[in-house]
Amino acid sequence: MALYWCTECIPLAVTALLPVILFPMMGIMESGEVCVQYLKDSNMLFIGGLLVAIAVEHWNLHKRIALRVLLIVGVKPALLMMGFMGTTAFLSMWISNTASTAMMLPIAQAVLNQLSRTEEAQDREQQEAAGVDNEAFHMGDMKESPTKEPVGDEEWGSATMEERRLRREQKYLKLTKGMSLSVCYAASIGGTATLTGTTPNLILKGQVDELFPKNGGIINFASWFGFSFPNMLLMLVLSWFWLQFMFLGLNFKKTFGCGSKNKADKEAYQVMKNEYKSLGTISFAEGSVLVIFVLLVVLWFTREPGFMPGWATVLFNQDQTFVTDGTVAIFMSTLFFLFPARLPSCSRGNGQENWKAPPTLLNWDVVHEKMPWNIILLLGGGFALARGSETSGLSQWLGDSLSPLKEIPPFAISLLLCMLVGTFTECSSNTATTTLFLPILASMATAIELHPLYVMLPCTICASLAFMLPVATPPNAIAFSYGNLKVMDMAKAGLMLNVIGVLSINFAINTWGMAMFKLNSFPQWANVTHTKP
């Protein structure tokens, strides 16, 4: 399965189904036991989160949010890059990284094109105005110094225009590259902040629940957000500084503008303003989706916040964990199929009033078209593989093989594994990477009596740090097609971002992560014995 996932010789989802065939035939697990791994609680959380994302995209709510933020930050290059990165990262926390990138890049392209066109027009106007002065200047020179060879006005003007054109094209080529990369990188970074932001996060939750069933729900929406959101902000700021340095230089006065506004800025700002106006006033459907979305996030945060009993503990989970984040996600996403997209309307015909039932916020045709069903099978295949590794004794063998690592300091183990996963994910799907590595990391942690999350959590986030190659992740591929990028541009920018990401994640796990999850001690729930039943 590892070989097939890395080479993609057959579709990833089809590879994920191999345990259904091979485990029963090899006498490892019964077919019924294998099949139930394919639709666990983590899968239902994934489905619920995707339904919310589909509703947000379907009613264009994400575009309204994005344009509103960009109108606030303005169009100065550094602020514009900051605005695009912040907005893309925020959207990627809730909708797919691919969708947020695909939506933000055309907006960035339109704004930069407008800035370039306006600057070109300004140069032309200045050159025409300067042409008259230059003529008088040259005439004066000729009178005073008749022996001096005069330079033709047309030749002087065309040379200056050519130089300005080349400088302008070079400037906007770098700006376009920087903005395209900032959007796709921000999408990957933003997806790490929430449990439903990207698939590897859910794989970690599923694997921890599968391998350590008595963990007490240590990974839930609130605990993941508490750890990953500050780390996401840190990575985003450092990435912005690096891209600013690479593509805009360190002239902060010029790139920030220091409050000045020229004609180009105003016209580019108008482009975004017109785009926002074209959306019209917020509709009943958009408002309804926004309310359901906000309620879902609030319910997720307050279900089991950790520092106090949540509503689920008080109402349902006194003895057992009946209600999970998946329960909340499915409940709230079901409301999209019940609530109307507009208020009921009355039509008159033949002297009678006819009340028509309005359509709902979502219908199954839209969901069927946009839902990535293959990822659900891929998640299930990972859970089945983990269960098979445990049942067959492979996990115990791997753990015993890696036990010499006990002599290495934990921070060094985490750093090395993060670098390994970060390199591996450049050539492989981040979903496949986490599915392959997490069971091995869990076995290693139990063998050397290290808290499993100390290595599993940072490596999971590192699986999303695919910054160097266009094929590494869909957002990279979209940016590569938009931004006149070369592979070397992405590789140079992405290599440093990989280093920044690995260092940032390891800083996080050794500071507030250590306090949040009590990583300095080996937990009782991880003290399991892997034996074949």
Side-chain angles (χ1 to χ4, degrees), residues 7 16 74 179 199 248 329 349 363 375 386 464 478 507 528:
T7 58
M179 210 65 75
T199 316
L248 301 178
N363 61 64
I375 301 296
S464 295
I478 296 170
F507 171 74
V528 294

Side-chain angles (χ1 to χ4, degrees), residues 93-94 193-195 220-230 301 516:
M93 289 164 59
W94 314 106
T194 59
L195 193 56
N220 58 36
F221 192 90
S223 66
W224 180 278
F225 188 87
F227 171 75
S228 296
F229 182 71
F301 274 116
M516 280 185 65

Side-chain angles (χ1 to χ4, degrees), residues 427-443:
C427 313
S428 176
S429 152
N430 57 4
T431 307
T433 302
T434 43
T435 303
L436 292 172
F437 273 93
L438 288 183
I440 299 171
L441 297 177
S443 301

Side-chain angles (χ1 to χ4, degrees), residues 404-527:
L405 289 172
K406 196 168 186 176
E407 305 303 320
I408 302 175
F411 76 89
I413 296 175
S414 174
L415 192 63
L416 289 170
L417 289 172
C418 284
M419 291 169 66
L420 175 64
V421 171
T423 305
F424 194 84
T425 196
E426 295 289 353
C427 313
S428 176
S429 152
N430 57 4
T431 307
T433 302
T434 43
T435 303
L436 292 172
F437 273 93
L438 288 183
I440 299 171
L441 297 177
S443 301
M444 181 206 72
T446 53
I448 63 176
E449 295 187 351
L450 180 67
H451 197 298
L453 289 184
Y454 189 80
V455 287
M456 295 175 78
L457 192 52
C459 287
T460 299
I461 298 178
C462 281
S464 295
L465 306 183
F467 297 138
M468 289 180 63
L469 298 174
V471 296
T473 184
N476 289 14
I478 296 170
F480 192 75
S481 65
Y482 260 95
N484 301 316
L485 289 161
K486 297 176 181 175
V487 175
M488 190 51 66
D489 294 324
M490 190 169 277
K492 283 194 292 187
L495 177 62
M496 187 62 188
L497 282 188
N498 277 356
V499 174
I500 288 171
V502 169
L503 294 177
S504 171
I505 292 162
N506 278 274
F507 171 74
I509 202 70
N510 285 291
T511 50
W512 64 86
M514 189 75 72
M516 280 185 65
F517 299 109
K518 298 180 176 62
L519 300 179
N520 53 354
S521 60
F522 185 63
Q524 186 60 39
W525 52 260
N527 191 15

Side-chain angles (χ1 to χ4, degrees), residues 23 28-29 33 37 40 206-214 382-398 439-440 442-443 446 525-533:
F23 284 0
I28 297 169
M29 294 167 68
E33 193 182 354
Q37 307 299 317
K40 301 176 80 67
Q207 296 279 22
V208 168
D209 291 344
E210 175 68 29
L211 297 170
F212 310 107
K214 296 180 181 179
F383 299 150
L385 187 61
R387 186 60 178 270
S389 299
E390 183 184 6
T391 306
S392 64
L394 176 63
S395 293
Q396 185 181 3
W397 177 80
L398 283 171
I440 299 171
S443 301
T446 53
W525 52 260
N527 191 15
V528 294
T529 305
H530 298 287
T531 55
K532 187 173 180 179

Side-chain angles (χ1 to χ4, degrees), residues 67-371:
L67 288 169
R68 184 72 262 174
V69 173
L70 292 173
L71 287 174
I72 293 170
V73 299
V75 293
K76 288 297 178 185
L79 292 174
L80 192 64
M81 182 181 282
M82 184 190 294
F84 272 105
M85 289 184 77
T87 308
T88 308
F90 173 77
L91 292 174
S92 293
M93 289 164 59
W94 314 106
I95 67 174
S96 79
N97 301 347
T98 308
S100 55
T101 306
M103 186 204 70
M104 294 299 289
L105 279 175
I107 299 173
Q109 200 80 10
V111 172
L112 291 178
N113 286 343
Q114 183 60 47
L115 282 168
S116 179
R117 283 196 299 268
T118 309
E119 195 170 313
E120 182 182 1
Q122 283 179 323
D123 285 349
R124 199 179 296 115
E125 288 172 9
Q126 289 174 5
Q127 194 63 34
E128 288 171 0
V132 178
D133 297 335
N134 290 330
E135 187 177 351
F137 175 75
H138 286 302
M139 286 176 69
D141 279 351
M142 287 167 67
K143 286 177 184 176
E144 291 175 11
S145 176
T147 57
K148 192 173 181 181
E149 179 106 20
V151 180
D153 290 336
E154 288 184 10
E155 185 181 336
W156 181 89
S158 63
T160 307
M161 283 295 286
E162 183 65 18
E163 287 172 9
R164 289 191 176 191
R165 184 184 67 79
L166 290 172
R167 281 200 302 268
R168 187 177 59 253
E169 286 181 358
Q170 190 65 24
K171 169 187 168 184
Y172 279 99
L173 177 62
K174 290 185 78 174
L175 258 177
T176 304
K177 287 181 177 181
M179 210 65 75
S180 301
L181 286 175
S182 71
V183 169
C184 71
Y185 291 162
S188 296
I189 293 169
T192 64
T194 59
L195 193 56
T196 55
T198 187
T199 316
N201 307 352
L202 285 164
I203 292 175
L204 171 67
K205 174 178 166 51
Q207 296 279 22
V208 168
D209 291 344
E210 175 68 29
L211 297 170
F212 310 107
K214 296 180 181 179
N215 68 77
I218 191 169
I219 296 291
N220 58 36
F221 192 90
S223 66
W224 180 278
F225 188 87
F227 171 75
S228 296
F229 182 71
N231 177 67
M232 184 271 284
L233 290 179
L234 178 62
M235 286 174 59
L236 205 61
V237 170
L238 293 174
S239 302
W240 175 75
F241 272 116
W242 170 243
L243 293 172
Q244 167 85 14
F245 168 74
M246 265 197 83
F247 296 101
L248 301 178
L250 291 175
N251 189 343
F252 288 102
K253 182 178 178 182
K254 185 178 178 182
T255 52
F256 276 99
C258 294
S260 62
K261 275 194 175 182
N262 55 35
K263 186 179 177 184
D265 293 341
K266 289 176 181 176
E267 293 196 11
Y269 185 83
Q270 193 60 41
V271 169
M272 293 194 296
K273 204 168 183 179
N274 292 339
E275 190 78 12
Y276 185 77
K277 282 183 179 176
S278 69
L279 296 175
T281 56
I282 188 164
S283 65
F284 179 79
E286 286 178 273
S288 301
V289 171
L290 183 61
V291 169
I292 294 173
F293 168 69
V294 171
L295 279 174
L296 171 63
V297 174
V298 170
L299 289 173
W300 266 339
F301 274 116
T302 56
R303 184 188 72 84
E304 195 59 66
F307 58 87
M308 59 176 283
W311 59 264
T313 306
V314 174
L315 298 176
F316 304 103
N317 298 348
Q318 288 93 348
D319 302 319
Q320 299 179 49
T321 307
F322 289 105
V323 173
T324 65
D325 286 334
T327 315
V328 179
I330 295 297
F331 169 67
M332 296 305 292
S333 57
T334 303
L335 298 180
F336 291 122
F337 300 92
L338 301 175
F339 276 62
R342 61 174 184 268
L343 293 171
S345 60
C346 173
S347 62
R348 292 180 177 273
N350 299 323
Q352 294 182 344
E353 292 185 356
N354 297 317
W355 290 90
K356 291 184 178 179
T360 53
L361 292 169
L362 272 186
N363 61 64
W364 193 251
D365 290 337
V366 173
V367 173
H368 181 69
E369 181 184 345
K370 294 187 176 181
M371 179 72 77

